[in-house]
Amino acid sequence: MTSPVWHPFFQHGLNEPIPLVRRAEGALLHLADGGTLIDCISSWWVTTHGHCHPRIAAAIAGQAGRLDQLIFAGYTHEPAEEVARGLIELAPRAADRDPLAHAFFSDSGSTAVEVALKMALGYWHNRALDGLSDPRHRILVLQHSYHGDTIGAMSVGERGVYNAAWSPLLFDVDTVPFPHEGKEQATLDALEAACAQRPAAFIVEPLILGAGGMLIYPPSVLRDMAAICARHDVLFIADEVMTGWGRTGALFACDQAGVVPDIMAVAKGITGGAIPLAATLATPRIFDAHRSTDRARLFYHSSSYTANAIACAAAAANLAIWREEDVLGRIATLGQAMADRLEELGAHPAFAKARRLGAIAAIDLITPDAGYLSDVAPRLRAFAHENGLLLRPLGNTIYLMPPYCLDADQLDHVFAVLQKAGEKFGRPA
Ligand SMILES: *Cc1c(COP(=O)(O)O)cnc(C)c1O
């Protein structure tokens, strides 16, 4: 029987199998065929504490019987208030910077990014109406970035085969080169020159570019980039959709650099990964530029499910876990355990460029056919599946981004399979 489901980022013409998953707990997925998989990528970077976390599941069940959904334009509910307060309390802060003080809800990382871009241009638009500035429109981006799959989010992301069909719809941006090791100053110089052209905002994935290949750069560069933007009054937008909720070893990657962005997008792990929700946080000046007695200046953005009460209840439970449990300690232990095993794997001649940040580890398989469309990634994925792992390599880059509950035995199994994969698919140069 053929299924009517059209899967994302999936080529149905290749007739690859589509496993049916019935149940999940912790780091494990239970398949309909009786097998299990270790979820090495947190079901695409969302599951933080583990699947079906009892506190989050209970919060969802309780809220579903109390208040499910409410129009959020001019109405409010306790879970949203609680999550907004919690986000503001936990957001990056610094003595010499305006704090993130306002939270705007949406439903996905892509919409959180769209909202961030709309806030930035709305800020400059409303300032121009007051004669306080020229309108600023252009967006600066970092090379190799990924910010989502809606039109605006694609516009500020790397261009390639995955968005070529829509390139006529994408708006122009100015791109700053990625700060590869040894080339950091070139990035900062390019940013300085681009900022002199008075763009509206610079959007970055802090410390690590996820979909771009798990490319890591140091906190000092993030700090310098933010300082350059501040000096030129260019709004600094941090896309913490992937990096947030502990992945990089701090609650937010910006914390590791002492950076407070003007606008920050969060999603993925905001509900512990149980249910969709996103938020875009903003400093008072962004909010105040939209606050007026003039209705024309309100922030024109909403989706039907903005701040859905069930999703907010899940997020509130997640925030409580962060406040009450030593999640960062757990991440540090997991990160160190990954580092030890990664060092050993990195010594194998089939691999290169072992790298790690927090509980994210990545390594490149040496193959003659690297690149996003090379079939090494699907072959690796199939091999991982046969060996009980859910992996989704980016071209020849294999990465792990597991839920924080992954234990040492599971980690041993994961690295044993990676070693076998290197032996089977790697071609030492
Ligand atoms: C996943 C991701 C997004 C998009 O989030 P969705 O919830 O998939 O729309 C945006 N930015 C970054 C950095 C991401 O990793």
PDB file of all heavy atoms in Angstrom, residues 45 108-111 113 146-148 205 239 241-242 267-268, ligand 1:
ATOM      1  N   TRP A  45      17.363  17.755  16.281  1.00  0.00           N
ATOM      2  CA  TRP A  45      17.894  18.823  17.124  1.00  0.00           C
ATOM      3  C   TRP A  45      16.876  19.413  18.099  1.00  0.00           C
ATOM      4  O   TRP A  45      17.092  20.483  18.640  1.00  0.00           O
ATOM      5  CB  TRP A  45      18.532  19.960  16.299  1.00  0.00           C
ATOM      6  CG  TRP A  45      19.372  19.507  15.147  1.00  0.00           C
ATOM      7  CD1 TRP A  45      19.754  18.220  14.850  1.00  0.00           C
ATOM      8  CD2 TRP A  45      19.950  20.321  14.120  1.00  0.00           C
ATOM      9  NE1 TRP A  45      20.539  18.197  13.706  1.00  0.00           N
ATOM     10  CE2 TRP A  45      20.665  19.466  13.228  1.00  0.00           C
ATOM     11  CE3 TRP A  45      19.944  21.681  13.852  1.00  0.00           C
ATOM     12  CZ2 TRP A  45      21.355  19.934  12.116  1.00  0.00           C
ATOM     13  CZ3 TRP A  45      20.637  22.148  12.738  1.00  0.00           C
ATOM     14  CH2 TRP A  45      21.331  21.291  11.877  1.00  0.00           C
ATOM     15  N   SER A 108       7.714  28.049  15.058  1.00  0.00           N
ATOM     16  CA  SER A 108       8.854  27.266  14.566  1.00  0.00           C
ATOM     17  C   SER A 108      10.079  28.168  14.515  1.00  0.00           C
ATOM     18  O   SER A 108       9.963  29.398  14.604  1.00  0.00           O
ATOM     19  CB  SER A 108       8.571  26.712  13.170  1.00  0.00           C
ATOM     20  OG  SER A 108       8.612  27.752  12.211  1.00  0.00           O
ATOM     21  N   GLY A 109      11.224  27.544  14.335  1.00  0.00           N
ATOM     22  CA  GLY A 109      12.446  28.326  14.205  1.00  0.00           C
ATOM     23  C   GLY A 109      12.379  29.275  13.022  1.00  0.00           C
ATOM     24  O   GLY A 109      12.802  30.426  13.109  1.00  0.00           O
ATOM     25  N   SER A 110      11.833  28.784  11.913  1.00  0.00           N
ATOM     26  CA  SER A 110      11.744  29.637  10.731  1.00  0.00           C
ATOM     27  C   SER A 110      10.888  30.872  11.001  1.00  0.00           C
ATOM     28  O   SER A 110      11.258  31.986  10.608  1.00  0.00           O
ATOM     29  CB  SER A 110      11.139  28.852   9.558  1.00  0.00           C
ATOM     30  OG  SER A 110      11.920  27.715   9.268  1.00  0.00           O
ATOM     31  N   THR A 111       9.750  30.664  11.666  1.00  0.00           N
ATOM     32  CA  THR A 111       8.905  31.841  11.926  1.00  0.00           C
ATOM     33  C   THR A 111       9.557  32.747  12.964  1.00  0.00           C
ATOM     34  O   THR A 111       9.420  33.972  12.880  1.00  0.00           O
ATOM     35  CB  THR A 111       7.477  31.469  12.369  1.00  0.00           C
ATOM     36  OG1 THR A 111       7.545  30.579  13.480  1.00  0.00           O
ATOM     37  CG2 THR A 111       6.687  30.842  11.261  1.00  0.00           C
ATOM     38  N   VAL A 113      12.649  33.359  13.132  1.00  0.00           N
ATOM     39  CA  VAL A 113      13.611  34.133  12.349  1.00  0.00           C
ATOM     40  C   VAL A 113      12.884  35.185  11.509  1.00  0.00           C
ATOM     41  O   VAL A 113      13.306  36.343  11.437  1.00  0.00           O
ATOM     42  CB  VAL A 113      14.460  33.194  11.457  1.00  0.00           C
ATOM     43  CG1 VAL A 113      15.214  33.970  10.387  1.00  0.00           C
ATOM     44  CG2 VAL A 113      15.428  32.391  12.321  1.00  0.00           C
ATOM     45  N   TYR A 146      22.375  28.721   8.082  1.00  0.00           N
ATOM     46  CA  TYR A 146      21.033  28.178   7.844  1.00  0.00           C
ATOM     47  C   TYR A 146      20.095  28.803   8.867  1.00  0.00           C
ATOM     48  O   TYR A 146      20.396  28.809  10.058  1.00  0.00           O
ATOM     49  CB  TYR A 146      21.011  26.653   8.000  1.00  0.00           C
ATOM     50  CG  TYR A 146      19.625  26.084   7.879  1.00  0.00           C
ATOM     51  CD1 TYR A 146      19.023  25.924   6.624  1.00  0.00           C
ATOM     52  CD2 TYR A 146      18.878  25.754   9.011  1.00  0.00           C
ATOM     53  CE1 TYR A 146      17.731  25.431   6.515  1.00  0.00           C
ATOM     54  CE2 TYR A 146      17.588  25.263   8.901  1.00  0.00           C
ATOM     55  CZ  TYR A 146      17.024  25.105   7.642  1.00  0.00           C
ATOM     56  OH  TYR A 146      15.741  24.621   7.536  1.00  0.00           O
ATOM     57  N   HIS A 147      18.956  29.323   8.405  1.00  0.00           N
ATOM     58  CA  HIS A 147      18.024  29.957   9.332  1.00  0.00           C
ATOM     59  C   HIS A 147      16.590  29.475   9.144  1.00  0.00           C
ATOM     60  O   HIS A 147      15.679  30.047   9.733  1.00  0.00           O
ATOM     61  CB  HIS A 147      18.083  31.477   9.182  1.00  0.00           C
ATOM     62  CG  HIS A 147      19.414  32.061   9.558  1.00  0.00           C
ATOM     63  ND1 HIS A 147      19.870  32.097  10.853  1.00  0.00           N
ATOM     64  CD2 HIS A 147      20.402  32.609   8.801  1.00  0.00           C
ATOM     65  CE1 HIS A 147      21.083  32.671  10.880  1.00  0.00           C
ATOM     66  NE2 HIS A 147      21.428  32.973   9.649  1.00  0.00           N
ATOM     67  N   GLY A 148      16.373  28.459   8.308  1.00  0.00           N
ATOM     68  CA  GLY A 148      15.027  27.939   8.131  1.00  0.00           C
ATOM     69  C   GLY A 148      14.626  27.891   6.671  1.00  0.00           C
ATOM     70  O   GLY A 148      15.392  28.285   5.787  1.00  0.00           O
ATOM     71  N   GLU A 205      24.193  32.551  13.501  1.00  0.00           N
ATOM     72  CA  GLU A 205      24.106  31.395  14.387  1.00  0.00           C
ATOM     73  C   GLU A 205      25.316  31.505  15.312  1.00  0.00           C
ATOM     74  O   GLU A 205      26.455  31.410  14.852  1.00  0.00           O
ATOM     75  CB  GLU A 205      24.204  30.096  13.583  1.00  0.00           C
ATOM     76  CG  GLU A 205      23.019  29.803  12.679  1.00  0.00           C
ATOM     77  CD  GLU A 205      23.339  28.653  11.736  1.00  0.00           C
ATOM     78  OE1 GLU A 205      23.159  27.485  12.124  1.00  0.00           O
ATOM     79  OE2 GLU A 205      23.795  28.922  10.600  1.00  0.00           O
ATOM     80  N   ASP A 239      20.438  33.851  16.102  1.00  0.00           N
ATOM     81  CA  ASP A 239      19.540  32.726  15.838  1.00  0.00           C
ATOM     82  C   ASP A 239      20.003  31.571  16.735  1.00  0.00           C
ATOM     83  O   ASP A 239      20.919  30.834  16.381  1.00  0.00           O
ATOM     84  CB  ASP A 239      19.600  32.351  14.352  1.00  0.00           C
ATOM     85  CG  ASP A 239      18.762  31.118  14.037  1.00  0.00           C
ATOM     86  OD1 ASP A 239      18.219  30.496  14.974  1.00  0.00           O
ATOM     87  OD2 ASP A 239      18.663  30.773  12.840  1.00  0.00           O
ATOM     88  N   VAL A 241      18.148  29.067  17.556  1.00  0.00           N
ATOM     89  CA  VAL A 241      17.158  28.002  17.371  1.00  0.00           C
ATOM     90  C   VAL A 241      17.784  26.632  17.610  1.00  0.00           C
ATOM     91  O   VAL A 241      17.209  25.785  18.301  1.00  0.00           O
ATOM     92  CB  VAL A 241      16.522  28.097  15.963  1.00  0.00           C
ATOM     93  CG1 VAL A 241      15.683  26.860  15.660  1.00  0.00           C
ATOM     94  CG2 VAL A 241      15.676  29.358  15.865  1.00  0.00           C
ATOM     95  N   MET A 242      18.993  26.417  17.079  1.00  0.00           N
ATOM     96  CA  MET A 242      19.666  25.133  17.314  1.00  0.00           C
ATOM     97  C   MET A 242      20.533  25.186  18.556  1.00  0.00           C
ATOM     98  O   MET A 242      20.557  24.251  19.366  1.00  0.00           O
ATOM     99  CB  MET A 242      20.495  24.743  16.075  1.00  0.00           C
ATOM    100  CG  MET A 242      21.156  23.389  16.163  1.00  0.00           C
ATOM    101  SD  MET A 242      22.699  23.394  17.084  1.00  0.00           S
ATOM    102  CE  MET A 242      23.851  23.776  15.774  1.00  0.00           C
ATOM    103  N   ALA A 267      13.689  28.273  19.572  1.00  0.00           N
ATOM    104  CA  ALA A 267      12.617  27.334  19.193  1.00  0.00           C
ATOM    105  C   ALA A 267      13.070  25.943  19.621  1.00  0.00           C
ATOM    106  O   ALA A 267      13.414  25.752  20.780  1.00  0.00           O
ATOM    107  CB  ALA A 267      12.328  27.413  17.695  1.00  0.00           C
ATOM    108  N   LYS A 268      13.103  25.003  18.687  1.00  0.00           N
ATOM    109  CA  LYS A 268      13.545  23.613  18.916  1.00  0.00           C
ATOM    110  C   LYS A 268      13.401  23.120  20.364  1.00  0.00           C
ATOM    111  O   LYS A 268      12.380  22.578  20.708  1.00  0.00           O
ATOM    112  CB  LYS A 268      14.957  23.434  18.368  1.00  0.00           C
ATOM    113  CG  LYS A 268      14.927  23.467  16.827  1.00  0.00           C
ATOM    114  CD  LYS A 268      16.183  22.977  16.156  1.00  0.00           C
ATOM    115  CE  LYS A 268      15.965  22.847  14.649  1.00  0.00           C
ATOM    116  NZ  LYS A 268      16.877  23.579  13.808  1.00  0.00           N
TER     117      LYS A 268
HETATM  118  C1  LIG B   1      16.363  24.331  12.566  1.00  0.00           C
HETATM  119  C2  LIG B   1      16.821  25.737  12.469  1.00  0.00           C
HETATM  120  C3  LIG B   1      15.953  26.776  12.068  1.00  0.00           C
HETATM  121  C4  LIG B   1      14.556  26.483  11.597  1.00  0.00           C
HETATM  122  O1  LIG B   1      13.758  25.971  12.613  1.00  0.00           O
HETATM  123  P1  LIG B   1      12.405  25.180  12.221  1.00  0.00           P
HETATM  124  O2  LIG B   1      11.739  24.960  13.524  1.00  0.00           O
HETATM  125  O3  LIG B   1      12.866  23.924  11.549  1.00  0.00           O
HETATM  126  O4  LIG B   1      11.646  26.064  11.307  1.00  0.00           O
HETATM  127  C5  LIG B   1      16.412  28.061  12.096  1.00  0.00           C
HETATM  128  N1  LIG B   1      17.668  28.351  12.472  1.00  0.00           N
HETATM  129  C6  LIG B   1      18.540  27.395  12.845  1.00  0.00           C
HETATM  130  C7  LIG B   1      19.913  27.783  13.278  1.00  0.00           C
HETATM  131  C8  LIG B   1      18.150  26.059  12.831  1.00  0.00           C
HETATM  132  O5  LIG B   1      19.040  25.109  13.160  1.00  0.00           O
END
